[in-house]
């Protein structure tokens, strides 16, 4: 954990309690004054009942997962946002120092110093930072853990509205103890607090009665923090920045175009079937 973090806060997400109401996603948009229209291709996803993805204007989503549990199909709902890693990979690769941790452990991003290299997007093990493709002078965007609320001792906007207490806010050590107590007293739960150890630990923690891999969580992450592994790499970031940024821009534009073409294909197939 960074030495600047003196009052580490966390949210414990109990995936057995989430009913997929989406109140947390609305609260996030209202608190962060974001548009309710997604800037990229999510109109297609919305219209066809496919989960909305994180993007520069959508810092949290709730994915609907139909999974097999004890031979039966069941639904689970998984809130996604920045995990606020205790040792954030995004920050460790950013030579512009656009990320910093607050006393409460929120990993904050400062667009005023970002140079747009997007190394943070590559480094993040949870695929969280998103680029403002729609803007002329784009920045990277992600959940900021409602850091001003945390500084005032308040819960983040999303956690404060959850009607089922699926999002529990508090001190990380206390929430970890609570998570293990819940697991020990209820045999439905897996004996795993996701985020306790992954990549050195995260501020957002999850407990579940369904395998985390089936719910879309990366399950092959090391317990060692990623910054420990990339310090050697970052020594070379400045010399290769120009080449890397240019190459990544090309790859990203290509991938975006492919995504758009795939959607056009879906539309065309559906029109064809309807006809
Ligand atoms: S989840 Fe990704 S963006 Fe969030 S703090 Fe960790 S490395 Fe950074
Ligand atoms: S912590 Fe704040 S910014 Fe992050 S998902 Fe929740 S409401 Fe949105
Ligand atoms: S507000 Fe709570 S119950 Fe509703 S989707 Fe979000 S986490 Fe799930």
């Amino acid at each position: 954990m960074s030495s600047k973090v003196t009052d580490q806060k966390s949210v414990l997400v109990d995936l057995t309690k989430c009913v997929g109401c989406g109140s947390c996603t609305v609260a996030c948009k209202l608190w962060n004054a974001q548009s309710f229209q997604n800037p990229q291709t999510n109109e297609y996803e919305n219209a066809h009942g496919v989960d909305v993805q994180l993007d520069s204007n959508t810092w949290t989503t709730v994915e609907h997962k139909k999974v097999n549990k004890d031979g039966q199909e069941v639904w689970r709902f998984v809130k996604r946002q920045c995990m606020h890693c205790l040792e954030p990979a995004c920050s460790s690769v950013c030579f512009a120092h656009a990320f910093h941790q607050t006393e409460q452990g929120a990993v904050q991003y400062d667009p005023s110093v970002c140079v747009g290299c997007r190394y943070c997007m590559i480094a993040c093990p949870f695929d969280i930072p998103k680029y403002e493709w729609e803007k002329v002078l784009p920045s990277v965007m992600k959940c900021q853990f409602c850091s001003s609320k945390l500084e005032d001792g308040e819960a983040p906007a999303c956690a404060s509205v959850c009607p089922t207490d699926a999002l529990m806010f508090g001190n990380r050590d206390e929430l970890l103890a609570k998570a293990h107590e819940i697991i020990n007293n209820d045999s439905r739960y897996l004996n795993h607090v996701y985020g306790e150890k992954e990549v050195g630990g995260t501020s957002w923690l999850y407990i579940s009665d369904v395998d985390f891999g089936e719910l879309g969580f990366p399950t092959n992450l090391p317990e060692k923090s990623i910054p420990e592994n990339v310090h050697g790499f970052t020594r070379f970031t400045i010399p290769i920045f120009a080449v890397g940024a240019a190459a990544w821009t090309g790859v990203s534009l290509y991938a975006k175009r492919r995504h758009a073409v795939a959607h056009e294909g879906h539309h065309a197939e559906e029109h064809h079937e309807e006809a």
Side-chain angles (χ1 to χ4, degrees):
M1 190 189 303
S2 160
S3 58
K4 290 180 189 163
V5 181
T6 54
D7 181 25
Q8 177 68 57
K9 296 298 188 210
S10 282
V11 174
L12 172 61
V13 184
D14 185 340
L15 293 176
T16 70
K17 289 188 175 175
C18 177
V19 293
C21 67
S23 304
C24 50
T25 63
V26 174
C28 179
K29 284 200 177 257
L30 290 174
W31 177 254
N32 293 298
Q34 292 172 335
S35 158
F36 279 81
Q37 204 171 24
N38 293 302
Q40 299 187 46
T41 56
N42 288 336
E43 292 79 6
Y44 178 85
E45 280 87 347
N46 285 332
H48 294 77
V50 179
D51 286 331
V52 170
Q53 305 295 308
L54 292 180
D55 63 36
S56 59
N57 181 61
T58 306
W59 293 353
T60 185
T61 61
V62 177
E63 295 176 3
H64 296 201
K65 300 277 185 188
K66 192 193 273 183
V67 292
N68 192 295
K69 180 169 166 49
D70 305 328
Q72 285 194 321
E73 282 194 331
V74 295
W75 284 98
R76 289 294 178 267
F77 307 97
V78 183
K79 183 181 184 301
R80 306 266 185 216
Q81 73 296 303
C82 174
M83 298 288 280
H84 295 275
C85 305
L86 305 191
E87 296 178 61
C90 54
S91 175
S92 72
V93 297
C94 179
F95 57 83
H97 301 295
F99 295 88
H100 76 277
Q101 280 171 299
T102 68
E103 286 181 15
Q104 292 76 32
V107 179
Q108 281 205 296
Y109 164 77
D110 178 358
S112 70
V113 295
C114 174
V115 296
C117 70
R118 284 159 280 152
Y119 280 164
C120 54
M121 293 170 66
I122 301 169
C124 174
F126 301 104
D127 189 24
I128 297 300
K130 301 297 174 198
Y131 204 51
E132 292 180 305
W133 294 101
E134 69 282 4
K135 294 202 175 163
V136 178
L137 291 174
S139 297
V140 171
M141 289 285 158
K142 71 170 198 70
C143 152
Q144 303 274 55
F145 208 172
C146 292
S147 55
S148 62
K149 277 180 163 286
L150 264 56
E151 278 165 21
D152 292 340
E154 294 174 23
C158 53
S160 67
V161 298
C162 177
T164 65
D165 290 332
L167 308 175
M168 292 165 269
F169 172 70
N171 175 283
R172 187 172 188 270
D173 290 338
E174 288 170 12
L175 285 178
L176 268 176
K178 186 181 181 87
H180 284 291
E181 188 186 327
I182 293 171
I183 289 169
N184 290 338
N185 289 326
D186 190 333
S187 59
R188 288 178 306 151
Y189 288 88
L190 304 177
N191 187 17
H192 182 179
V193 181
Y194 193 95
E196 179 174 13
K197 293 181 178 160
E198 280 77 7
V199 291
T202 58
S203 303
W204 280 68
L205 304 164
Y206 291 77
I207 51 176
S208 172
D209 61 344
V210 171
D211 185 80
F212 285 106
E214 281 194 56
L215 297 174
F217 288 79
T219 53
N220 56 353
L221 298 177
E223 291 190 1
K224 198 173 170 182
S225 76
I226 290 176
E228 281 185 58
N229 293 322
V230 297
H231 279 149
F233 165 75
T234 53
R235 281 187 292 134
F236 302 106
T237 52
I238 292 174
I240 66 172
F241 159 66
V243 174
W248 176 238
T249 300
V251 169
S252 302
L253 288 173
Y254 174 69
K256 192 173 162 60
R257 178 62 195 147
R258 276 174 59 101
H259 187 58
V261 169
H263 278 177
E264 283 163 16
H266 276 302
H267 281 298
E269 272 174 34
E270 278 170 11
H271 285 312
H272 184 68
E273 280 167 19
E274 281 166 15

